[in-house]
C-alpha cells in the first residue's frame, strides 16, 4: 500500500469524547404508564351520544376508562353520530338467531331438492368422454332444410295466417323435409352440432318456437344412429348439450309467464301458484312432444323438459319417470338404450333426486336386458364395423358408471349387497363389476375386498381385462381401510395379477394405485419390493419415458406417507427409482417435492448420514439446472442439518456441499454464512477462550470462506462477505486472517463497475459502494495495526484506492466518503474507543494515546480537509452553488460534531463554511436556525463555553 500524502505539521483536530457521559445525556427518558391510561394501540370504542341534535351532530368516543370532558372529538365518529358503520349495518340486519334458522331451513330444502357438493356432476365427465371416444371414420348428419329465420311478416298479418303457417311447419316436421350431409370428419361433425345449438338459440330468440322444436327433434334422431359406433358416447354428449339448452329455454319461458312486475314465483313453488296461461303453455309443449311419432326423439325431448311438470302437478315428475323408464324397453339397440337410460338418470338427479325408486328400476331394467350385448344382431354389427368386443364394451362404461353413480349416491350399504348379487347372477360381468366398484362408497367396497377379489377371479377376461378391476379395487382400498386380517392377502392377490402384465402402460397404471395402499398399511420392506418391481418393468426399452406422470404419482404417495426420512432414505430402491426421471423438468419437479416434504416434516435437526447423503444425491440430480425454487428449498433445508457439538463434522458437510454445488452462487453464499455462523458458535461454546484445537478449527472455517469468496461473480456480494468474514475472524482473534479479508476487500474496490444489475434493472453503483465503505469504516475503528505494516495501514490503503477510483461526473460521493473517514479518524484519536472486540486490543490499547499516533491522525485529517475544501472551491468555479451550499453545511456539521473548536484555525474554518453555505441563498433557513439553537444549547454544557463565541460569529442571512 502506498502512503497517502499528508502535510508535515498539523494541529489537533478532534475533540475529546466521553462516550459514557454522552450516552447518559442523550438517553431517552422512560415514563411509566399506569394501568388504564391511554395507549396508542388501545382499542377505541364508539358509544352513542345522548346530546341533543343542534346545528351539528356530536358524538362521544371513549376507551375502557372514562374520557375527560375536554378531550378532542373523534372526527370519524362525529360524522356518524356515535355509531360506526359496522354497527349501523348490524342494527338493520336480522337477528343472528333468525338468520341461523333461515340458513338451516335453506340447507334442509336444498338437501331435499338438490344433490350436494359431494356428487360429481355430469359436466366434469363431459370433457373426458369427448377426448376418449374419437374416430377417424366419416360421419353423417341430418340438415334441416327450413329457413330458420322464417318468412317475413307484415305488422298487419292476421292471426289465422300465423296459425296456418305453424300448422304447415308441423306438417313439414312430420314429412321430414331435410337432407343428409355425408362424409364429415369428426371435427366437421362437432362444428355442425355447434351450429345447430346456435341455430336453436337464434330460432328461440326470434320467436320461432316450432322451428326450435324441429331442430331438437332432428338432433335427437341422430342418437338412434350407430353407424360409427366408437364415436357414439361423444355423439351422445354433443346431442344432449342441445337437449339441455332446449329444456332450459322452455322452462325459463314458462317461468317468466308466472311473474309480473309485482310478484314472482318462489324457488319452491306449488302448481296452485302458477297462472292458467303458464299451465296452458306448458301443456301445449307436452302435447306437441307427445305427437312425435318416433320413439327416440319423443323420449329424449320429453325428458329434456321434464322439469316443466312442476308447473302442472306435484306428482307430475314422479309419475313421468316410471313411464319414461318403461318406454326405453322399446329401444332395440342395447347401446342406444343404455345411453337413453343414462340421460333419464341425469334428468332425474337434476329435477327429483329424492325419487330413487325410478332410478333403481331404470338400472335393474338394464341388467335384465344386458344379455342383448351378446346377441347376433350386435355381433353382426360389430363384424361389419370391425370392432372387437373389448372395445365395444368400453363404450358402455360412461353410461353405466353414471347410472350407478346416481343410484349409489348416499345409498345404504344394503344396496351394494343387492348389486353384488345381481352381478353374480350375470356371471360376474367384468364391466358391471368395475362400475359397481367405482360408484359405491370406498368404505363399503373396502369392507368387502375379499368378496370382490373372488368375483374378479371368476370374471371372463376376454371382454374386460382383470387388471382394470384390480385397479378399481385399489382405488377404494387406498382411501378406506379393509379388515386387518385381509390386508396382506389383498395385496398378494392383486400383485400376482399386476406383476404379470407385459404392457408397461397397463402395469404402471395399476402399480401407481396400489403403491398408496402399500404405504398406508405396510413397512418399508414391502414398499421397497413394490419399487423394485416397478423399476424392473419400466426400465427395459426406457418405458419410463412414457410414464412420467404415473411415476411422479408413485413418488408423491411414498413421501406423503413416510415422514421419517431416515426410514424413507433407507429404502434401498428409493434413490434408484429417482434415476428413472431422465427428463430435466420432471426430475426437477420430483426433487422439489422431496425437498418440500423434508422441510415440512423434518421438525428436528438431523445428522443422520443416510439422510444427508440422500439429500445431497437428490439435489445433485439438478445441480446444473439453476432452478431458483429448488435452490431455495435446499437453502431452507440447511438449518435442519446439524451435528450438534461435532463442529468438525458439520464443517465437513459444508465442504462436501461446496464441492457438489460449486457452480451455484446462492448455495455458496449460504454456505459461507453457515461456516461463519459455525465459527461464532464455536466461540460461544468456548466463551471466547479458544483452546489450541478450537483455534485451529476456527482458522479452518476462516480459510473455507477465504478460498470460496473469490469464486462468486457478484462484486458486492464478495465485498460484503469479505467484510463479514473479516469481522468473524477478528471476533475469534484470527488477526492476520482478518487483515487478509480487509485487504482483499480494499483491493476489490477499484473493480467496482459504474453500473450493476439490481433485480433485473441497471443502476449506478456509487450508492451501494458508499454504503459498503461506511460499514467498512465502522469495522476499521477496532482493527489493530499490523506491527510490520505501519500506522493505520488499512485506512491509508483505502484512501489511496478512493483517490484513484473514477467517480461519476457531477458526483459528491468522494467528498462524502472523505467526510466519513474524518469521522473515523476522530473516533481513532479518542483515549478509549466507543466499542471493542473481546480479547482483541484495538489501537487505543496498543498506542495508549501516544503523541506520535495522534500526530499521524491529525496529518491525515489535515490532508482530507484540504481535499474537501478544494472540491468546494471547484464547485464555486463551476457555478454549482446549490451543491456547494449543501456540502458546506454538511462539512460544518461534521466539524461541529467531531472537531475541537477551541482550535482557532478549525473554529475559523467552521465560520467560513457557515457563511459559504448561505452565501448564495441556497441554504435552508429552518435548518440553519435549528443548528444555531443547538450550538447555543450545547455551549451551556461544561467545557463547552467556547461555543458561545462561535455562535456569536455565525450570522443568519436572509434570502433577500
Amino acid at each position: 500500500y502506498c502512503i497517502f500524502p499528508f502535510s508535515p505539521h498539523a494541529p489537533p483536530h478532534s475533540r475529546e469524547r466521553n462516550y459514557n457521559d454522552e450516552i447518559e445525556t442523550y438517553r431517552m427518558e422512560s415514563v411509566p404508564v399506569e394501568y388504564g391510561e391511554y395507549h396508542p394501540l388501545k382499542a377505541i370504542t364508539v358509544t352513542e351520544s345522548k346530546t341533543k341534535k343542534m346545528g351539528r351532530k356530536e358524538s362521544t368516543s371513549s376507551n375502557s376508562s372514562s374520557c375527560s370532558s375536554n378531550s378532542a372529538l373523534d372526527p370519524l365518529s362525529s360524522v356518524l353520530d356515535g355509531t360506526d358503520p359496522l354497527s349501523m349495518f348490524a342494527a338493520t340486519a336480522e337477528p343472528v338467531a333468525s338468520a341461523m334458522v333461515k340458513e338451516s331451513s335453506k340447507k334442509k330444502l336444498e338437501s331435499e331438492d338438490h344433490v350436494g357438493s359431494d356428487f360429481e356432476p355430469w359436466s366434469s365427465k363431459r370433457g373426458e368422454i369427448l377426448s376418449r371416444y374419437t374416430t377417424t371414420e366419416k360421419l353423417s348428419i341430418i340438415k334441416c332444410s327450413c329457413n330458420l329465420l322464417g318468412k317475413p311478416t307484415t305488422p298487419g298479418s292476421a292471426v289465422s295466417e300465423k296459425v296456418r303457417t305453424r300448422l304447415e311447419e308441423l306438417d313439414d316436421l312430420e314429412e321430414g323435409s331435410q337432407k343428409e350431409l355425408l362424409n364429415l370428419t369428426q371435427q366437421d361433425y362437432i362444428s355442425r352440432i355447434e351450429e345447430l345449438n346456435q341455430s336453436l338459440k337464434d330460432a328461440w330468440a326470434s320467436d320461432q318456437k316450432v322451428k326450435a322444436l324441429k331442430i331438437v327433434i332432428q338432433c335427437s334422431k341422430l342418437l338412434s344412429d350407430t353407424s360409427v359406433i366408437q364415436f357414439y358416447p361423444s355423439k351422445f354428449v354433443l346431442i344432449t348439450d342441445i337437449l339441455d339448452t332446449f329444456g332450459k329455454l322452455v322452462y325459463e319461458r314458462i317461468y317468466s309467464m308466472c311473474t309480473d312486475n309485482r310478484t314472482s314465483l318462489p324457488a319452491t313453488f306449488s302448481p296452485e301458484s302458477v297462472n292458467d296461461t303458464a299451465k296452458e303453455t306448458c301443456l301445449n309443449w307436452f302435447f306437441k312432444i307427445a305427437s312425435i311419432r318416433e320413439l327416440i326423439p319423443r323420449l329424449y325431448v320429453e325428458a329434456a323438459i321434464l322439469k316443466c311438470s312442476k308447473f302442472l302437478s306435484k306428482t307430475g315428475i314422479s309419475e313421468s319417470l316410471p313411464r319414461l323408464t318403461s318406454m326405453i324397453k322399446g329401444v332395440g339397440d342395447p347401446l342406444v338404450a343404455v345411453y337413453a337410460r343414462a340421460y333419464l338418470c341425469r334428468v332425474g338427479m337434476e329435477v327429483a333426486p329424492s325419487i330413487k325408486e325410478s332410478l333403481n328400476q331404470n338400472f335393474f331394467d338394464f341388467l335384465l336386458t344386458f344379455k342383448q350385448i351378446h346377441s347376433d344382431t350386435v355381433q353382426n354389427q360389430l363384424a361389419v364395423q370391425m370392432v372387437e368386443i373389448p372395445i365395444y364394451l368400453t363404450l358402455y362404461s360412461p353410461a353405466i358408471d353414471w347410472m350407478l353413480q346416481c343410484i349409489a349416491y348416499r345409498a345404504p350399504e344394503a344396496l351394494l349387497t343387492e348389486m353384488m348379487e345381481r352381478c353374480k347372477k350375470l356371471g360376474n360381468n367384468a364391466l358391471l363389476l368395475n362400475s359397481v366398484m367405482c360408484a359405491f362408497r370406498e368404505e363399503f367396497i373396502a369392507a368387502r375386498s375379499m368378496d370382490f377379489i373372488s368375483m374378479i377371479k371368476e370374471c371372463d377376461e376376454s371382454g374386460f381385462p382383470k387388471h382394470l378391476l384390480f385397479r378399481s379395487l385399489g382405488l377404494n382400498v387406498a382411501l378406506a381401510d379393509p379388515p386387518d386380517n385381509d390386508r396382506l392377502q389383498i395385496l398378494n392377490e392383486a400383485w400376482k395379477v399386476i406383476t404379470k402384465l407385459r404392457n408397461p402402460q397397463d402395469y404402471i397404471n395399476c402399480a401407481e394405485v396400489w403403491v398408496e395402499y402399500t404405504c398406508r398399511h405396510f413397512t418399508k420392506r414391502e414398499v421397497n419390493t413394490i419399487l423394485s418391481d416397478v423399476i424392473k418393468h419400466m426400465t427395459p426399452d426406457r418405458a419410463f419415458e412414457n410414464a412420467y406422470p404415473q411415476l411422479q404419482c408413485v413418488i408423491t404417495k411414498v413421501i406423503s406417507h413416510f415422514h421419517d426420512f431416515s426410514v424413507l432414505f433407507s429404502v434401498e430402491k428409493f434413490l434408484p427409482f429417482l434415476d428413472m426421471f431422465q427428463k430435466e423438468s420432471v426430475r426437477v419437479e420430483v426433487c422439489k417435492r422431496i425437498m418440500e416434504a423434508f422441510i415440512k416434516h423434518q421438525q428436528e435437526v438431523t445428522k443422520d448420514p443416510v439422510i444427508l447423503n440422500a439429500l445431497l444425491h437428490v439435489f445433485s440430480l439438478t445441480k446444473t439446472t439453476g432452478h431458483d425454487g429448488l435452490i431455495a428449498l435446499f437453502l431452507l433445508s440447511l438449518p435442519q442439518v446439524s451435528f450438534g457439538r461435532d463442529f468438525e463434522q458439520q464443517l465437513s458437510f459444508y465442504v462436501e456441499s461446496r464441492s457438489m454445488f460449486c457452480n451455484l452462487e446462492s448455495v455458496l453464499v449460504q454456505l459461507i454464512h453457515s461456516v461463519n455462523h459455525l465459527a461464532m458458535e464455536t466461540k460461544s461454546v468456548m466463551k471466547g477462550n479458544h483452546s489450541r484445537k478450537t483455534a485451529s478449527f476456527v482458522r479452518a472455517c476462516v480459510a473455507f470462506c477465504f478460498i470460496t469468496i473469490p469464486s462468486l461473480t457478484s462484486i458486492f456480494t464478495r465485498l460484503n462477505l469479505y467484510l463479514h468474514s473479516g469481522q468473524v475472524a477478528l471476533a475469534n482473534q484470527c488477526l492476520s486472517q482478518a487483515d487478509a479479508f480487509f485487504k482483499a476487500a480494499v483491493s476489490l474496490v477499484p473493480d467496482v463497475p459504474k453500473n450493476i444489475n439490481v433485480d433485473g434493472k441497471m443502476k449506478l453503483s456509487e450508492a451501494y459502494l458508499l454504503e459498503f465503505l461506511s460499514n467498512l469504516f465502522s469495522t476499521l475503528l477496532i482493527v489493530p495495526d499490523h506491527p510490520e505494516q505501519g500506522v493505520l495501514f488499512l485506512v491509508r490503503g483505502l484512501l489511496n484506492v478512493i483517490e484513484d477510483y473514477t467517480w461519476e461526473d457531477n458526483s459528491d460521493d468522494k467528498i462524502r466518503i472523505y467526510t466519513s473517514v474524518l469521522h473515523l479518524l476522530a473516533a481513532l484519536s479518542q483515549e478509549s474507543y466507543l466499542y471493542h472486540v473481546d480479547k482483541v486490543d484495538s489501537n487505543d490499547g496498543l498506542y495508549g494515546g501516544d503523541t506520535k499516533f495522534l500526530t499521524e491522525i491529525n496529518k491525515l485529517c489535515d490532508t482530507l480537509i484540504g481535499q474537501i475544501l478544494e472540491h468546494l472551491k471547484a464547485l464555486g468555479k463551476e457555478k454549482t452553488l446549490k451543491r456547494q451550499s449543501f456540502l458546506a453545511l454538511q462539512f460544518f456539521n461534521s466539524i461541529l460534531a467531531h472537531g475541537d473548536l477551541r482550535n482557532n484555525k478549525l473554529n475559523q474554518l467552521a465560520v467560513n463554511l457557515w457563511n459559504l453555505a448561505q452565501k448564495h441563498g441556497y441554504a435552508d433557513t429552518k435548518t440553519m436556525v435549528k443548528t444555531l439553537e443547538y450550538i447555543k444549547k450545547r455551549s451551556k454544557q461544561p467545557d463547552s463555553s467556547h461555543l458561545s463565541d462561535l455562535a456569536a460569529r455565525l450570522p443568519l442571512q436572509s434570502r433577500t
Side-chain angles (χ1 to χ4, degrees), residues 457-595:
K457 288 181 177 180
E458 298 174 5
C459 284
D460 181 10
E461 198 171 7
S462 61
F464 199 92
K466 288 184 179 180
H467 69 83
L468 293 182
L469 297 175
F470 276 107
R471 185 181 190 279
S472 297
L473 179 62
L475 290 171
N476 285 280
V477 296
L479 299 175
D481 298 335
D484 295 347
N485 297 333
D486 297 338
R487 291 176 182 176
L488 182 58
Q489 186 178 356
I490 292 170
L491 179 60
N492 288 333
E493 293 289 345
W495 207 257
K496 279 192 298 186
V497 175
I498 295 171
T499 194
K500 293 178 182 178
L501 295 174
R502 294 290 177 261
N503 186 301
Q505 200 63 40
D506 291 341
Y507 171 83
I508 194 61
N509 287 337
C510 294
E512 66 156 321
V513 172
W514 283 92
V515 163
E516 184 166 7
Y517 173 76
T518 309
C519 293
R520 283 188 62 174
H521 300 298
F522 299 97
T523 65
K524 69 174 185 179
R525 185 174 71 88
E526 288 79 10
V527 173
N528 188 67
T529 302
I530 298 291
L531 295 182
S532 177
D533 197 59
V534 173
I535 295 172
K536 177 183 175 182
H537 280 77
M538 302 308 295
T539 301
D541 300 325
R542 300 179 67 86
F544 54 79
E545 292 181 344
N546 298 318
Y548 283 138
Q550 294 87 345
L551 295 175
Q552 284 180 270
C553 186
V554 170
I555 282 291
T556 301
K557 290 174 180 178
V558 171
I559 62 178
S560 64
H561 286 88
F562 284 83
H563 297 167
D564 187 343
F565 278 78
S566 61
V567 175
L568 175 63
F569 290 142
S570 64
V571 175
E572 182 182 353
K573 296 298 181 179
F574 182 78
L575 294 181
F577 189 92
L578 294 182
D579 292 336
M580 286 195 295
F581 295 99
Q582 300 291 317
K583 188 177 180 181
E584 179 182 318
S585 59
V586 178
R587 184 170 65 247
V588 169
E589 182 61 30
V590 170
C591 292
K592 282 178 65 176
R593 292 183 186 180
I594 296 173
M595 299 300 293

Side-chain angles (χ1 to χ4, degrees), residues 63 75 88 99 127 204 342-343 519 539 550 576 592 620 642 659 674 685 691 712 746 785 787 901 936 938:
N63 51 22
M88 292 172 64
W204 191 271
Y343 186 69
C519 293
T539 301
Q550 294 87 345
K592 282 178 65 176
S620 67
S642 174
S659 65
S674 298
V685 170
S691 64
L712 305 176
V746 172
D785 283 342
L901 291 174
K936 292 177 180 178
R938 220 181 94 184

Side-chain angles (χ1 to χ4, degrees), residues 442-457:
E442 301 86 5
E443 296 84 355
F444 297 167
I445 305 298
R448 293 168 168 77
S449 298
M450 292 306 302
D451 295 333
F452 276 103
I453 288 177
S454 299
M455 295 173 69
I456 291 172
K457 288 181 177 180

